[in-house]
Every structure is written in C-alpha cells, then in structure tokens.
Amino acid sequence: HPLLPAAVVAAYLGMVSQGPKYMATRRPFELRAVSRCWNIGVAIFSICGATVCVPHLCRALYQNGLWYSVCADIYELAGYGPPAFWATLFTWSKLFELFDTVLLVLKKRPVITLHWFHHASVIGFAWAAWALNGLNSEDAACASVLLG
C-alpha cells in the first residue's frame, strides 16, 4: 500500500523526536547483546542479497551495457527469480532496519541527523521505486553494497 511507508516514516520521525525526551528520566537499557545480534543479522542479510544481486548486475552490465542496466523494463531486467525476490526483500527490510534507531534511543545514544535522514529517505526511495516501477535487482545490489 502506498501509504505504508509514509505512515512508518511519520511514526519513525515521531519516535526520533520524542524517544530521547521519553528516555531522559530513565536509565539507559543495556542492549549490547541485542545490538550485536542485530548488526550481525543485518550484515548477513546484506551479504546474502549482494551475492545474488551483484552478479546479476555485473552480467547485465557486461552483456547489455550501462543504459540497459539502468533503463530497461524492470521485469525484463530483474526477472522473476532470486534477484527479484531479493529486491523485494530489500524493500521490506528498510522498514525493519528502523530497529537500530530504537536501539540507539533505548541506550540513550545520540541519533544524528545523518542517521535518521538516511533511514527515512531510503524508505522513500525503495518504496517509491518498487511501487512505481518495481525495484530492480540492480537498485538492490547497489544499495546492499553501499547502504547495507
């Protein structure tokens, strides 16, 4: 649904704004093990997505050139197999990745502008690309490697 990312981003920005105020009179949570497991899980997920999408991107670049890999019809480009599956997982994962900000707030760590802006804008990009044309595996490959 097109309103889902907007609602999630609005709630997220509310949490970024109000969470530190809520935690101001509370002790920080000790979430070292949770943070470690979370970060390892995100890293494994990104590596798995990159191992599927990056070879697909390289093959498209080698066989058809840059124009095709950027401008071709999404269904021709990503297909219906593992690259399309991982591009879809990538889009949905952006919602779950907001959990790292929750961890920062609960540990009373600063949430810098770059952090929250990155999460909010990547959700907007990923969902808009998916809703309007379908997120292609090249988008997911680049984002998995660059944005993790």
Side-chain angles (χ1 to χ4, degrees):
H1 192 278
L3 292 181
L4 178 64
V8 169
V9 169
Y12 172 72
L13 294 176
M15 186 270 304
V16 167
S17 169
Q18 299 304 309
K21 293 175 186 173
Y22 175 79
M23 289 299 295
T25 59
R26 291 166 175 74
R27 294 181 56 179
F29 286 82
E30 289 295 325
L31 299 169
R32 203 175 313 247
V34 174
S35 294
R36 189 173 294 129
C37 290
W38 175 254
N39 289 329
I40 290 169
V42 170
I44 290 169
F45 177 82
S46 294
I47 290 167
C48 290
T51 59
V52 171
C53 294
V54 169
H56 187 73
L57 169 61
C58 292
R59 197 169 23 261
L61 284 168
Y62 179 74
Q63 292 174 350
N64 302 304
L66 181 63
W67 183 90
Y68 174 86
S69 69
V70 175
C71 299
D73 178 75
I74 186 62
Y75 297 105
E76 179 184 347
L77 191 57
Y80 298 94
F85 174 73
W86 278 96
T88 302
L89 287 180
F90 170 81
T91 302
W92 280 98
S93 76
K94 299 301 109 189
L95 300 178
F96 297 106
E97 287 179 14
L98 300 178
F99 182 66
D100 69 342
T101 309
V102 173
L103 291 173
L104 289 175
V105 169
L106 293 176
K107 294 189 295 185
K108 294 180 84 168
R109 302 267 174 83
V111 181
I112 64 173
T113 303
L114 179 63
H115 180 91
W116 64 259
F117 183 81
H118 161 79
H119 280 298
S121 62
V122 169
I123 287 173
F125 158 75
W127 279 80
W130 192 39
L132 298 175
N133 287 330
L135 186 69
N136 67 39
S137 58
E138 282 69 21
D139 296 333
C142 292
S144 291
V145 171
L146 298 175
L147 305 175

